[in-house]
Amino acid sequence: MLDRHGLLLKHKLGQNFLVQDHVIQGILELAELQEDDVVYEIGPGIGTLTVAMLPRVRRVVAVEADRTLPPVLAETCARDGERLSLIPGDALRVAPKTLVEAAGTEPTKLVSNLPYQVAATVILDALEHMPSIRRLVVMVQAEVADRIAAKPGSKAYGAYTAKLALYGRVTGRFEVGPGNFMPPPHVNSAVVRIDRRDDVPNDATEVAQVIDAAFAQRRKTIRNSMSARGYEKDVLDAAFAAAGIDPRTRAESLAPEEFVRLMQELQRTCFDSSSKS
Ligand code: SAM
């Protein structure tokens, strides 16, 4: 297909195209697509996954950075082309509003073989800014999948894991070796399924700020890391005590719900001290 269109693969755009049907099948099984689903796809490439999704859903809205690919996609997706909305451009710069305008409605799922350079960012972005997306089924580098699913206290657990866990739970995963792509990447990959939580905290953005401060200096105690980020030590001490968190602990050993508690106690402590003064 690429030869016929006179196109070359672009390494800098993470163009490792899927060439194995059983991987597509595995993605579809995890996605559990419904006929009223509106799927957001980042990087449809030459449409291998897109073609498989189009007949199963109401619409696919896809963002593709490589401006030479739309004619190829028009050909591969011709059969169900009326269900495809294609936005040329960089997914990192496409506003949710643009997606909704192009699709005519809000996306319900994100299903993609993601370009690895932007994978971690777009996943958290979709969870934070597109609440209509209830499920993500994404192919990522295995190392990113490990960070997404990491447990507190493990090496892979970090600010990214804790922030993502405020919004979603990992409910599925399978491994994908390099031989399933053309050209084969130098790393192992994995497909992960993330389901949006029903109990996303209202103040998730504020909790994310606390998480960033707690992990800012990963080797330091949480008290030192957060005070280096501008939190007052006496406010921190009061909040740690009220939240039942040892100030000598490191951020990597705290579960996401402990960060939620800490943020609530920080707000309470600040409110109490400002109402006394
Ligand atoms: N979905 C196809 C498949 O499974 O064979 C292609 C997947 S390939 C790993 C990643 C695709 O994302 C490529 O088509 C690439 O051009 C596109 N891409 C890379 N960076 C992008 C970005 N920032 N925004 C949108 N698309 C991007």
Side-chain angles (χ1 to χ4, degrees), residues 99-266:
L99 285 182
V100 175
E101 277 166 11
T105 178
E106 295 189 315
T108 54
K109 287 179 179 158
L110 167 60
V111 184
S112 304
N113 170 17
L114 288 171
Y116 291 167
Q117 319 85 298
V118 300
T121 309
V122 295
I123 291 169
L124 189 55
D125 222 49
L127 285 165
E128 284 176 340
H129 304 297
M130 294 182 217
S132 63
I133 293 180
R134 308 302 303 172
R135 172 171 292 168
L136 295 83
V137 178
V138 282
M139 173 94 69
V140 294
Q141 235 173 286
E143 175 256 325
V144 173
D146 292 345
R147 279 168 59 204
I148 289 172
K151 298 283 174 240
S154 65
K155 210 168 137 211
Y157 184 77
Y160 182 75
T161 320
K163 285 192 273 187
L164 195 135
L166 300 173
Y167 296 93
R169 292 179 303 119
V170 176
T171 53
R173 170 174 176 158
F174 67 90
E175 309 307 307
V176 184
N180 293 290
F181 302 88
M182 188 200 78
H186 299 297
V187 292
N188 287 319
S189 307
V191 173
V192 282
R193 180 168 85 177
I194 303 164
D195 283 326
R196 182 177 289 278
R197 303 174 66 116
D198 293 324
D199 57 349
V200 176
N202 289 336
D203 32 25
T205 314
E206 287 79 7
V207 182
Q209 285 164 0
V210 168
I211 292 172
D212 280 332
F215 278 95
Q217 301 190 17
R218 201 184 159 103
R219 288 171 187 280
K220 290 198 171 171
T221 64
I222 184 171
R223 183 177 190 265
N224 286 346
S225 181
M226 292 185 72
S227 73
R229 273 290 187 100
Y231 286 82
E232 302 280 347
K233 284 193 170 147
D234 51 345
V235 171
L236 282 174
D237 289 339
F240 287 139
I245 293 169
D246 182 346
R248 293 163 303 179
T249 198
R250 295 210 175 96
E252 66 209 43
S253 61
L254 292 186
E257 49 281 11
E258 293 181 281
F259 288 110
V260 176
R261 228 166 49 228
L262 177 57
M263 195 282 302
Q264 288 164 345
E265 294 304 338
L266 280 167

Side-chain angles (χ1 to χ4, degrees), residues 2 6 13 15 30 33 52 56 59 74 77 80-81 87 92 94 128 132 147 155 162 166 190 204-205 219 255 257 270:
L2 289 166
L13 285 177
Q15 290 186 346
L30 277 186
L33 297 175
R56 295 174 158 82
R59 180 152 289 279
C77 299
D80 294 296
I87 305 174
L92 292 175
V94 172
E128 284 176 340
S132 63
R147 279 168 59 204
K155 210 168 137 211
L166 300 173
T205 314
R219 288 171 187 280
E257 49 281 11
C270 289

